[in-house]
Amino acid sequence: MNPVPHPPRALARLQFHAGFTLDDAAARVDYYADLGVSHLYASPLLTARPGSMHGYDVIDCHRINPEVGGEDALRRLVARLRARGMGLVLDIVPNHMFAGVGNAWWMDVLAHGRTSRYAGYFDIDWRSPDPLVRGRVLLPILGKPYAESLRAGEVRLDHDADTGAFVLKVYDNALPLAPETQAPLRAAGSVAQVLAAHAAGQGEEGFARLHALLERQHYRLALWKLASDSIDYRRFFDINELVGLRMEHTRVFEDVHALIFKLYAEGMVDGLRIDHIDGLADPHRYCGQLRRALYRLERQRPPGAPRGPAYVVVEKILAEGEHLRPEWRVDGTTGYEFMDQVSALLHDAAGAGVLDGLWQSISGERTGFADMAHAARRQILIDSFEAELDRTARALFGAARAELDSRDVSLAAIRRVLVEVLVHFPVYRTYAGVLGRDAMDDKVFGIACAGARRTVRLEDRELLEQVTVWLGGQAPRSLPPGPVRQARARAMTIFQQATSPMAAKAVEDTACYRYGRLLSRNEVGADAGRLGLPVADFHARCVERQASHPHNLLATATHDHKRGEDTRVRLAVLSQPAAAAAWAEVVTRWRSRHAGLRVQTEVGMAPSAADEYMLYQTLVGAWPPQLDPADAPALQAFAERIAAWQRKALREAKRRTRWTVPNEPYEDACDAFLAALLAPAQGFVAELAAFVARIAAAGAANGLVQTALRLTTPGIPDTYQGTDYWDFSLVDPDNRRPVDFDRRQSSLARHADWGALLASWRDGALKQRLLHELLQLRARHPALFAGGDYRPLAVATAEDEPGRLIAFARGWRGRAVIVLALRHTAPVLLDAESPRWSAAGTAALLPADTRIQGVPAGMYRNVLGDRHAEVEGPLDPADWLDPLPVAVLEAV
C-alpha cells in the first residue's frame, strides 16, 4: 500500500446524497487514482435532513448519514482509498444545523425552552423586543396567518401512539409540547376527547383551547413572512430552516465535532474544509481550537494514515486587497480568489468599451457594478435582514445606554447609521476581538465610514464616528470589567456575524443577477466590475500565495458556482474586441427580430431588456459542444435546464419577481419567450449554434489554459465532479447533475494520441487528458509543486507586447517545470474548427522575435505534446505551443 501524501497533491470534490452514496464513490476510486488525484474531497457526510442533496442541513452531528451509506460505507470507501495510496478531505458545517423535525437538539429546545440542555447550542436571542416572542423561539413556518391556520386545521393537536405524548401537528410535521402541558392534557379525558376539545376548526371553544395551549409553549408559531422582520435566532443567510450554532462555547464545539475527531483519530479523515467560517462568532478562536484538537489526536492515528498536521482550509471570500489571517493557522481558503484571478486573466479589458456600451444601450442601466451592489445591499437589509438589522441596532443601543455620555443616543439614529455602514462595507466581515481592530480591519472601517459619510444624515455624522468606536475602534479589554465592556463586546460580535450573510445575499445573490455586462464575471468571490487582469498582476498574486499559503486550495468550479468553469471561459471570449464586435452585431439582430415574442405584463415587458440580454448570454455560454440543433430530445433537455436557470435568476434579481412573492405571470411569460426562441420553426437555434461555433474553439483554448494554471500555479488543485470533461453547467442544482463516470473511465483508459483527441475535442476527452498529464506531473514532482518557488519569466520582444503570453517557472532543488500559455486567442481562433495550435497561430498573436528569458538550460519535454528539445538560451514559445495553446515543459 502506497503512503498517502501530505499535504494533498490534488483533490477531487464529490457531492454525496441518496443518489450518489459512499459505495458509489468507492467504485470510482480506481478512476480517480488513475487520473492522478491524491484525495477525494467529500461534501458534508453527517446526517442531514431526509432527501438532502447537499448535506449542509445537518440534523445529527453524531452519525454518518444513512442515506449515503452510514459509517460502515465510509469505512469501505476509506479502505479502497488507502489501497490506492489516497486520502479523504471532509467538508464540515460548524456554523449551523437544520431547524426542524429530526434534529433532536432543536426539538429539545422547542420542548423545554431556555431550560433545555441545548438552549446554549443555538444562537437564539431570548430578549426579543416583542412581548409575544420574548423568552420563546419564533417559528415562522405557517403558510397562512396564525388564526386562519388554526381554523383551517393546518395546526392541530395530535397524539403519538409510540411515545404516548401529545404533539402539535403543523401540516405533516410534529412539534413537541412543553412537558408541563402534557399532564393537564392527559387529565382532561381520553385521547379522543382531548383531541376533539382542541379542534380549532370545529368551533370557537376548540379554537380558544388550542390557542391557550399554544400560548403555554416555548415557541410561537407565525406566518412565514414575519421571518425577515422578527426572527429571533441567527440564520444561515436568510434561510429560516438553518439555525446558527454557538461554536464559541467549548461544550458546543466538542459535541458538534465529536464524530469528526473520532474519524480523524481513527485515520478515516485526513483533512477538513470548514464551511462558512465567517458565520462564527470568533473564527480565530475556532481555528485555534480545531488545530489544537487535531494535533492532540495525531498520535492516535493508525499506520497508513498520513502524518503531519491535518490539512485544513476555510470557505472564505477575500475582497480585493484582503488577506487571510496568518494567525488562524489554516492551510488556506477553498480557492474562490483563484477562481476570480484566473477568470479575470482570461478576460480582455480591451473589450470593456464595447460591452459597456452594449449593456447600457440594451438595459438602460448607467451605474456600474459597485453602485448596483450598494443598491442591492440597501434593499436586502430591509427585504431579508430586517430582524438581523434590528438585533444589531439593539446591541449597539445597549452599548450606548451602558455609558452616561451616550444615553441620549436613540435607537432610530443608531439604526440609520448602521444601515449606511453596512451598505458601504467593502468586505464580508471584520475580526475584531478583545484587543479591538487590527490594521486591516481599521482600513475596512475607514472605507465603510468614508462611504457612509456621503450618505448619512448630517446630524448623524458624529454618531457614525462613535459607532465605529463601539465596533472595535476601542479595544474592549481597555475598558474596566462590567456592563460597558460586555455591551461593547456583544455589539461587536453580533455586528461581525451579521455582515457576511448580508454581503453574500446582496452581492452574490442579487447584484450578480442584475448586472449583465458579461455574466462570466458575475461569480462568487469576483468583482464583476473588473473585467480583466494583467499578466503581471496574476503573477504577483501567485508569488504572494506561494509565500503566504502555498497549500491554498485552487478551484475553478464548485458546488456554489453560478456558471461552470467552461461556461465562463467561453463567455470570456466575448471580451476580446473582435469577438465583442461580432457579439454586439448578432445580439442586436436577435433582439430586433424577437420583439414580437415579448409580451406586456403588469410589471413591464417580459422578458425585460436586461433579462433578455442575460438569457442570450446564458444560451451562448451553456450550449453543449456536441448538441445537434436537429436532435429534438437533446434540445428539449437543454431548454429545460435553461428554463430552470432563468426562473431562479429572475427571482434572485428581485426586480420583477422574487422567491418570497413570485410573480408567476412574468415568469411564465419569460418561459414562453424561451420556448418560442428554441422552437424549430423560429430559426434561432441554428443561428445560436452557428455563433457558438464561431467562439467555441477560443473558449476551449481558454478552458485548457485555465485547467493548466490550476494544476501548475502555487496551491492544491481541486477538480469538481464532472469537470474532468468540459463543464458547461449553470448554478445549482444544474451543477450537481449525475456524472457519467463510465464514459470518463473508458476515455482515460484509451489514452488516445493528441491528434485523435484534438479531432474529437468536443467530447471532453482532450481536457481530461490534459488534466491527467498534469496530475501525473505533480505526482512525479510532489516537492516541487508543494513547496517549490514560482518565478515569472521575462517575455522579451522588440515590439510592444500585448500581454498575451503567460510564462513562469516552478523550481525545487535544481528541478524545473516551465509553463507557457496563450490568452486572448480569438483573433486566430474565431471561426476555427478546433483549438489546435501551431507556430503559425502563435506568430499571429505574438511578435516573431518573442523569446522567453531566464529558462534554466537543459533538456525538456512538453508533457502536453511530443516535443523534446535542448534549451540553451532564450526560449521561442512558437517551438513549444503545439498542439495546444498551453505547454508544460518538464526537465528531463
Side-chain angles (χ1 to χ4, degrees), residues 377-428:
R377 283 174 178 262
R378 195 176 297 278
Q379 178 183 339
I380 285 297
L381 286 173
I382 304 303
D383 288 356
S384 302
F385 291 101
E386 183 74 29
E388 286 81 1
L389 177 62
D390 180 63
R391 184 186 185 194
T392 309
R394 284 189 288 111
L396 285 165
F397 186 54
R401 284 296 174 92
E403 299 181 74
L404 292 176
D405 290 345
S406 53
R407 282 199 172 188
D408 290 331
V409 173
S410 70
L411 177 59
I414 286 177
R415 183 187 176 88
R416 290 194 300 268
V417 166
L418 180 60
V419 166
E420 301 309 317
V421 171
L422 290 169
V423 164
H424 294 94
F425 216 65
V427 298
Y428 274 55

Side-chain angles (χ1 to χ4, degrees), residues 722-759:
T723 62
D724 37 358
Y725 276 12
W726 301 121
D727 173 27
F728 291 99
S729 64
L730 297 168
V731 71
D732 67 279
D734 192 67
N735 60 11
R736 299 174 187 175
R737 287 173 293 148
V739 176
D740 187 345
F741 283 106
D742 290 340
R743 184 167 158 239
R744 285 162 171 78
Q745 203 146 355
S746 175
S747 63
L748 182 65
R750 284 198 304 271
H751 206 72
D753 63 50
W754 290 102
L757 291 168
L758 280 158

Side-chain angles (χ1 to χ4, degrees), residues 502-554:
M502 291 178 186
K505 197 66 182 174
V507 178
E508 297 172 21
D509 293 343
T510 304
C512 280
Y513 287 95
R514 292 180 176 179
Y515 184 68
R517 177 177 66 176
L518 194 58
L519 293 182
S520 45
R521 291 295 295 138
N522 296 16
E523 193 52 81
V524 179
D527 176 5
R530 181 182 65 183
L531 187 60
L533 184 72
V535 173
D537 289 359
F538 179 79
H539 284 318
R541 285 159 174 77
C542 290
V543 170
E544 180 184 325
R545 186 168 63 252
Q546 176 61 31
S548 62
H549 292 94
H551 305 145
N552 200 91
L553 210 57
L554 304 182

Side-chain angles (χ1 to χ4, degrees), residues 239-527:
I239 303 173
N240 302 334
E241 293 81 11
L242 298 178
V243 57
L245 288 164
R246 301 202 67 180
M247 201 52 56
E248 64 273 24
H249 292 177
T250 299
R251 177 184 167 195
V252 181
F253 174 87
E254 292 176 347
D255 210 350
V256 168
H257 291 82
L259 178 58
I260 302 298
F261 290 154
K262 170 180 173 287
L263 295 174
Y264 180 72
E266 293 177 357
M268 303 288 289
V269 171
D270 307 305
L272 300 173
R273 179 240 195 217
I274 313 304
D275 182 64
H276 193 45
I277 190 74
D278 279 345
L280 306 182
D282 190 346
H284 179 195
R285 180 175 183 269
Y286 170 83
C287 290
Q289 278 185 294
L290 184 68
R291 184 60 83 186
R292 287 191 295 274
L294 295 172
Y295 178 77
R296 287 194 299 270
L297 296 169
E298 183 75 29
R299 63 179 67 94
Q300 300 180 30
R301 286 168 65 79
R307 289 291 182 256
Y311 182 67
V312 178
V313 291
V314 294
E315 185 206 28
K316 165 66 187 166
I317 304 297
L318 294 171
E320 184 66 26
E322 186 182 10
H323 305 283
L324 188 63
R325 264 56 175 188
E327 61 269 20
W328 287 8
R329 297 168 58 202
V330 297
D331 291 286
T333 73
T334 53
Y336 291 120
E337 69 284 348
F338 175 78
M339 187 160 68
D340 172 39
Q341 292 160 14
V342 74
S343 171
L345 176 73
L346 296 174
H347 283 72
D348 192 345
V354 173
L355 294 176
D356 281 337
L358 183 61
W359 166 243
Q360 291 171 8
S361 68
I362 291 175
S363 68
E365 295 280 0
R366 295 293 181 266
T367 59
F369 181 73
D371 289 338
M372 196 170 284
H374 287 156
R377 283 174 178 262
R378 195 176 297 278
Q379 178 183 339
I380 285 297
L381 286 173
I382 304 303
D383 288 356
S384 302
F385 291 101
E386 183 74 29
E388 286 81 1
L389 177 62
D390 180 63
R391 184 186 185 194
T392 309
R394 284 189 288 111
L396 285 165
F397 186 54
R401 284 296 174 92
E403 299 181 74
L404 292 176
D405 290 345
S406 53
R407 282 199 172 188
D408 290 331
V409 173
S410 70
L411 177 59
I414 286 177
R415 183 187 176 88
R416 290 194 300 268
V417 166
L418 180 60
V419 166
E420 301 309 317
V421 171
L422 290 169
V423 164
H424 294 94
F425 216 65
V427 298
Y428 274 55
R429 72 164 281 174
T430 49
Y431 304 94
V434 293
L435 298 178
R437 295 196 296 263
D438 61 13
M440 193 180 302
D441 285 346
D442 266 336
K443 183 179 179 180
V444 167
F445 266 86
I447 295 170
C449 289
R453 284 190 201 97
R454 296 192 297 269
T455 54
V456 79
R457 290 185 182 185
L458 289 176
E459 57 267 34
D460 289 337
R461 284 186 175 177
E462 186 176 343
L463 178 57
L464 172 62
E465 303 303 325
Q466 185 60 56
V467 165
T468 66
V469 172
W470 292 334
L471 293 175
Q474 180 181 13
R477 182 175 285 180
S478 68
L479 300 169
V484 175
R485 180 196 282 193
Q486 292 174 0
R488 294 267 193 99
R490 181 172 183 270
M492 196 167 58
T493 297
I494 291 175
F495 172 83
Q496 292 184 147
Q497 285 182 286
T499 59
S500 178
M502 291 178 186
K505 197 66 182 174
V507 178
E508 297 172 21
D509 293 343
T510 304
C512 280
Y513 287 95
R514 292 180 176 179
Y515 184 68
R517 177 177 66 176
L518 194 58
L519 293 182
S520 45
R521 291 295 295 138
N522 296 16
E523 193 52 81
V524 179
D527 176 5

